Amino acid sequence: MDFLKSAVASAIAKGSSFPFALGDRVDIGDSLWTLHNATKRDDGSACSVFTFDVASNKSRLPLAKNAVRKSRTLRHPGVIKVLDTIETDTSLYIMTERVVPLLWHVKRKSLSEETAKWGIYTIASTLKFINEDASSVHGAVRASSVFTSESGEWRLGGFDILSSMKEDDAIIYTYGSLVPDAARYTPPEIVKAGWDAVKRHPLGAVDAYGLGILIFEIFNGHFAGADQAGKTTNIPPSMQQSYKRLCTANPKIRLSASHFLEQGKRSGGFFQTPLIRLTEDIESLGLKDEAEREEFINELDQLSEDFPEDFFKMKVLPELLKSVEFGGGGPKVLSAILKIGTKLTPDEYNSRLTPVIVRLFGNPDRALRVCLLDNLPLMVDNLSQKIVNDKIFPQMTSGFTDVAPIVREQTVKAVLSVVGKLSDRTINGDLLKFLARTANDEQAGIRTNTTICLGKIAKNLGQGTRSKVLIAAFSRATRDPFVHARSAGLLALAATIEYFTEDDCASKILPAICPVLLDKEKLVRDQANKTLDVYLHRIRKFSSTMADSALPPPSTAEAAPDTARIGTSNDQSWSGWAISSFTNKIAAANGQIEPTANGGSAAVAETVRPASVPRLSKTASTTQPDLPAIRPTAALLGRSLSEQPAMVTQEEDDEETEDVYDAWGAIEDDEDEETAAADPFSAAIDTKLRSNAQPQKSTPVPYDDGGEPDFAGWLAAQSKAKAKKPLPKGLNKPTSTPLTPSRTTSTKPKTVVVPAKKIDTKPKDLDEDDGWGDAWD
């Protein structure tokens, strides 16, 4: 029957006329009230509802009505906050803030000593207010009358017999014994003389005894009866003396709640704890100066992890947020905020902290910015990608160019925390641009950290730009004057090898590593050798999979060409293998050279030679080429076949002869060119070799009887060529003075004998610098 009445009352409470919707029932032990979790209809916030069924507890109806009336009028931070009360013919309702019975924590023994002291301090302060300020007696102080709020703070309830001593007909005198389980908790003087004895003893004596019982229950879990009152089992040593005086049988010498507070708050007293001091100072944090605020934060840092998290979420955090945003709390307050934020759920974090963090990133205070960047790893997991990419990172970018080096350095370090929440466009656009600036920063540490940062975010870079950016950045780092920057560049190259192709490794990265192998610092040399080994191993592994040759296989119809022999077993010098290799190529030449368009049909006459040059026999010229056969290697200097000079004939002039030597301009001196151009020796030998190597289709060369060369004919040919083509500027003869007939009668040019260039065959001194390395400077 009682169950049916309770169900009907619950159904009525769920009607639209009530401002709340009842939820699950909460066990609060032996009580005349039933506790339910509930939600407010107007905003959906959580609340609790105490219900009293009139039909099942009609004899205790005066106690329930007294509780409703006192709940409306009594206001104190240590008292349950009442939102609304409803009285009907069948039920009474008290809607309060969301609370949980303290007995839950007591039975689970989940209260730490510091938290227990903090709660006892709150209840003692509330009793002091009731006894002294309100001139009232609670009359039922015990664990079942205490609740904890959402913030973890202790709240005093159970106002069934709360009475003002100024009232002659106070309910405590008449109905005090109707409180559930009153015999177990009643003080000795009340047991002897009844509740009227309250008038004859100190006003706070009854509540002081109840406070002592509450302390015993908190540290021991259960109170069996009056025999356990005053026992110090599990009671903190610093509190035992005062606790005994609370439980003394004589009410006249019993310690009141007010005096109990005073003893605990003395220097070194049991109420001198960081948590209690924090509770007293938190509401006035915005009014404190910088020194007091710093002292407050230091105490906050001393709190251990077993303190009530809900208190920090609901009470401390809002005050800290107001202080740092509007009261100039500074970096230390922000650090405390973020530490508390790690205990918030994602929904709580987004609703309480995220808006404030976004606003703080726009604050120009450098100390605050550095603190935000330092603690970014603690908060980034709770921030959405959209918030980080669209609101936080754009504010962070000012740190890359800040004049303070500490801000630039912390901004570079913070990239590792936010890169996972940035879009590809932001990473490969704005981020790389700013990192390019810090890679050239004047501070060596910032350059080093930029290299490390690039190495760690390599996987986040776009594939199109990743290898180019990393190779350029790390190669530059290996040339940095700061030793740790060079080491960081080498480490980054070794860590990001997977992002480079084999061609990049061989052609771009190894040339950057090799110079550092001889670094002046052993730290860098060792790391360079390690990195080099990593890249060489990869290149060798890849090269082992390559084909032996990229040339197509020769056809069976053609004879395989002779393989060029590099050097001989007898000649080990560098000149020996070069000459031997080229000689083999000349000896292996076969077939005919296609005639050129200009000189294919012209007869090639045997060029004249100086008397000092011996005649070359046909047999010798065809079987074994002389030393000047090295001259054709000029084609190896990069000229194409179309750029190679044509064969020299008797009709070619000096300018064509000079073109042959242009290919050697990198080796021979400028002053030797004119002498070489006037020397017919080389041209004659070159023509002989060409005529012996290739059959000519031109007219036969007249037989040479082996006599002296026809210098007159050669000079006449030269004069004829010069007459057809003007001399270069500066070599023309002056025309200001006309020639006389007597001077023009002789047309025979004067023969000029040009001595052959003497070649110094003496070997150079080995210690002499021949300038081979100048081109790499």
Side-chain angles (χ1 to χ4, degrees):
M1 189 66 179
D2 292 340
F3 173 77
L4 180 59
K5 293 179 180 179
S6 177
V8 172
S10 177
I12 295 175
K14 292 181 181 178
S16 59
S17 61
F18 287 89
F20 53 83
L22 291 181
D24 299 332
R25 178 176 175 176
V26 179
D27 182 21
I28 56 175
D30 189 8
S31 173
L32 57 92
W33 293 93
T34 301
L35 178 61
H36 291 267
N37 291 327
T39 55
K40 295 175 64 176
R41 293 188 183 276
D42 54 355
D43 58 2
S45 60
C47 64
S48 294
V49 176
F50 291 87
T51 63
F52 176 81
D53 185 13
V54 176
S56 60
N57 291 287
K58 189 171 293 186
S59 61
R60 295 176 176 176
L61 182 59
L63 301 179
K65 290 186 176 182
N66 180 72
V68 172
R69 182 166 58 91
K70 293 298 181 181
S71 298
R72 291 174 180 170
T73 57
L74 190 62
R75 291 288 184 268
H76 187 269
V79 173
I80 295 179
K81 182 180 179 180
V82 176
L83 304 177
D84 197 2
T85 59
I86 300 175
E87 297 186 39
T88 65
D89 295 338
T90 58
S91 301
L92 301 179
Y93 302 96
I94 303 176
M95 185 172 66
T96 68
E97 60 180 325
R98 176 63 65 86
V99 293
V100 174
L102 179 65
L103 284 175
W104 285 16
H105 303 286
V106 171
K107 292 178 180 180
R108 290 196 297 261
K109 296 182 180 181
S110 60
L111 298 173
S112 65
E113 181 177 329
E114 294 298 320
T115 304
K117 289 181 178 179
W118 172 57
I120 294 170
Y121 174 82
T122 302
I123 299 302
S125 300
T126 305
L127 290 176
K128 176 185 176 181
F129 167 77
I130 292 175
N131 296 153
E132 295 183 358
D133 298 340
S135 301
S136 301
V137 175
H138 185 280
V141 179
R142 62 193 70 173
S144 59
S145 300
V146 181
F147 301 84
T148 59
S149 67
E150 287 184 303
S151 62
E153 296 175 281
W154 291 19
R155 299 283 190 258
L156 182 61
F159 300 141
D160 300 338
I161 57 174
L162 175 65
S163 302
S164 173
M165 293 297 99
K166 297 179 181 180
E167 300 175 357
D168 294 336
D169 57 347
I171 195 173
I172 192 173
Y173 304 139
T174 308
Y175 297 97
S177 58
L178 294 180
V179 176
D181 210 4
R184 187 154 54 103
Y185 293 97
T186 302
E189 66 274 16
I190 302 300
V191 174
K192 293 179 181 179
W195 285 98
D196 289 336
V198 175
K199 301 177 182 178
R200 299 188 294 270
H201 298 295
L203 186 145
V206 174
D207 291 340
Y209 184 84
L211 180 60
I213 302 303
L214 174 64
I215 294 174
F216 183 88
E217 285 183 305
I218 290 171
F219 290 103
N220 292 277
H222 179 71
F223 180 73
D227 295 340
Q228 292 182 330
K231 291 186 177 181
T232 59
T233 306
N234 297 326
I235 305 296
S238 60
M239 190 184 293
Q240 289 179 1
Q241 193 66 29
S242 300
Y243 158 73
K244 288 180 179 180
R245 294 188 60 186
L246 288 174
C247 300
T248 185
N250 188 353
K252 296 186 181 298
I253 62 174
R254 189 177 295 159
L255 195 66
S256 66
S258 176
H259 289 97
F260 181 74
L261 278 173
E262 291 178 2
Q263 292 184 1
K265 294 177 66 176
R266 291 176 183 174
S267 179
F270 47 84
F271 284 152
Q272 289 294 319
T273 65
L275 186 57
I276 293 175
R277 287 194 296 268
L278 174 68
T279 306
E280 294 179 339
D281 296 341
I282 187 62
E283 294 184 358
S284 60
L285 180 62
L287 303 177
K288 296 181 181 296
D289 56 23
E290 186 175 354
E292 293 175 338
R293 190 183 299 114
E294 184 174 357
E295 181 181 359
F296 171 81
I297 297 302
N298 291 335
E299 291 183 352
L300 187 62
D301 292 338
Q302 295 175 5
L303 299 180
S304 60
E305 296 295 332
D306 58 356
F307 288 140
E309 296 180 2
D310 294 334
F311 175 71
F312 288 98
K313 294 179 183 179
M314 305 296 295
K315 298 291 291 186
V316 178
L317 183 59
E319 297 297 329
L320 292 178
L321 290 174
K322 289 189 292 184
S323 176
V324 73
E325 193 170 7
F326 307 111
K332 287 194 173 181
V333 176
L334 178 60
S335 298
I337 290 174
L338 298 178
K339 183 178 179 180
I340 297 173
T342 58
K343 304 179 183 298
L344 299 178
T345 63
D347 293 338
E348 293 173 338
Y349 201 100
N350 290 331
S351 62
R352 299 182 184 182
L353 282 188
T354 298
V356 178
I357 291 173
V358 173
R359 291 194 295 267
L360 290 179
F361 265 102
N363 194 308
D365 186 5
R366 286 193 176 95
L368 195 61
R369 171 64 65 84
V370 171
C371 184
L372 282 169
L373 296 174
D374 284 341
N375 292 277
L376 201 54
L378 299 177
M379 65 179 82
V380 71
D381 291 338
N382 296 302
L383 300 174
S384 66
Q385 183 174 0
K386 183 176 180 58
I387 291 292
V388 174
N389 190 77
D390 297 345
K391 296 183 178 180
I392 292 182
F393 182 75
Q395 299 288 351
M396 284 178 54
T397 54
S398 61
F400 289 104
T401 58
D402 195 271
V403 296
I406 183 64
V407 178
R408 300 198 302 272
E409 184 172 11
Q410 294 301 323
T411 305
V412 172
K413 292 180 180 179
V415 170
L416 300 178
S417 301
V418 301
V419 69
K421 296 290 182 76
L422 300 180
S423 64
D424 293 340
R425 182 176 182 180
T426 302
I427 293 174
N428 296 285
D430 295 339
L431 179 59
L432 287 183
K433 291 179 182 178
F434 286 112
L435 290 180
R437 293 175 62 97
T438 57
N440 298 304
D441 196 274
E442 60 182 7
Q443 297 292 327
I446 297 177
R447 298 196 302 268
T448 304
N449 286 329
T450 302
T451 302
I452 297 172
C453 177
L454 280 172
K456 292 187 175 182
I457 68 172
K459 62 179 179 295
N460 301 101
L461 302 181
Q463 295 182 359
T465 60
R466 177 165 51 198
S467 61
K468 297 179 181 178
V469 171
L470 296 183
I471 291 175
F474 299 158
S475 299
R476 188 186 192 94
T478 59
R479 302 189 299 269
D480 196 285
F482 186 51
V483 56
H484 295 290
R486 299 196 297 274
S487 179
L490 294 168
L491 285 169
L493 283 173
T496 57
I497 186 173
E498 60 183 302
Y499 302 118
F500 307 125
T501 64
E502 285 75 11
D503 290 339
D504 289 340
C505 295
S507 61
K508 299 178 181 179
I509 298 179
L510 285 182
I513 298 175
C514 290
V516 201
L517 294 171
L518 297 179
D519 195 273
K520 296 180 180 180
E521 299 295 333
K522 186 177 185 298
L523 172 67
V524 180
R525 294 196 302 270
D526 293 344
Q527 186 56 49
N529 279 281
K530 294 178 182 178
T531 306
L532 182 68
D533 292 340
V534 172
Y535 277 86
L536 285 178
H537 176 73
R538 178 177 176 182
I539 292 174
R540 288 167 178 165
K541 182 178 180 180
F542 178 77
S543 64
S544 64
T545 63
M546 298 175 64
D548 294 342
S549 175
L551 299 176
S555 60
T556 57
E558 298 179 359
D562 296 336
T563 304
R565 179 174 55 87
I566 307 300
T568 63
S569 59
N570 297 327
D571 190 355
Q572 298 297 331
S573 64
W574 67 271
S575 60
W577 62 257
I579 295 173
S580 176
S581 174
F582 182 73
T583 303
N584 289 337
K585 293 178 182 178
I586 293 296
N590 53 15
Q592 294 183 356
I593 299 178
E594 294 294 332
T596 59
N598 296 329
S601 60
V604 180
E606 182 177 359
T607 57
V608 296
R609 56 182 176 81
S612 60
V613 179
R615 171 185 294 274
L616 295 176
S617 63
K618 294 183 179 180
T619 305
S621 62
T622 56
T623 58
Q624 183 178 359
D626 205 349
L627 182 60
I630 302 178
R631 289 173 56 87
T633 57
L636 299 177
L637 296 179
R639 293 190 176 188
S640 63
L641 293 176
S642 62
E643 294 174 346
Q644 295 180 11
M647 292 184 295
V648 180
T649 64
Q650 291 182 349
E651 288 79 14
E652 291 178 334
D653 56 7
D654 293 342
E655 184 177 358
E656 294 172 345
T657 306
E658 292 179 0
D659 291 339
V660 178
Y661 292 91
D662 288 342
W664 301 94
I667 297 179
E668 298 190 358
D669 298 331
D670 295 336
E671 59 269 15
D672 296 336
E673 294 182 358
E674 296 180 1
T675 305
D679 185 8
F681 173 78
S682 298
I685 298 299
D686 193 17
T687 304
K688 282 280 188 177
L689 291 176
R690 293 171 184 255
S691 63
N692 293 331
Q694 174 183 345
Q696 301 295 330
K697 297 182 181 180
S698 60
T699 58
V701 179
Y703 176 74
D704 189 356
D705 59 355
E708 293 296 329
D710 185 8
F711 285 102
W714 178 77
L715 289 175
Q718 295 294 329
S719 298
K720 184 179 180 180
K722 291 180 179 178
K724 293 180 180 180
K725 186 174 183 181
L727 293 175
K729 184 179 180 182
L731 298 181
N732 294 326
K733 294 183 179 179
T735 59
S736 58
T737 304
L739 297 175
T740 60
S742 60
R743 300 176 65 181
T744 58
T745 56
S746 177
T747 60
K748 183 178 181 180
K750 185 178 180 181
T751 302
V752 179
V753 179
V754 180
K757 182 178 178 181
K758 184 178 181 181
I759 301 176
D760 187 8
T761 60
K762 182 179 179 181
K764 293 184 179 180
D765 191 356
L766 295 178
D767 296 336
E768 183 179 354
D769 185 8
D770 56 5
W772 274 74
D774 295 341
W776 300 96
D777 294 337

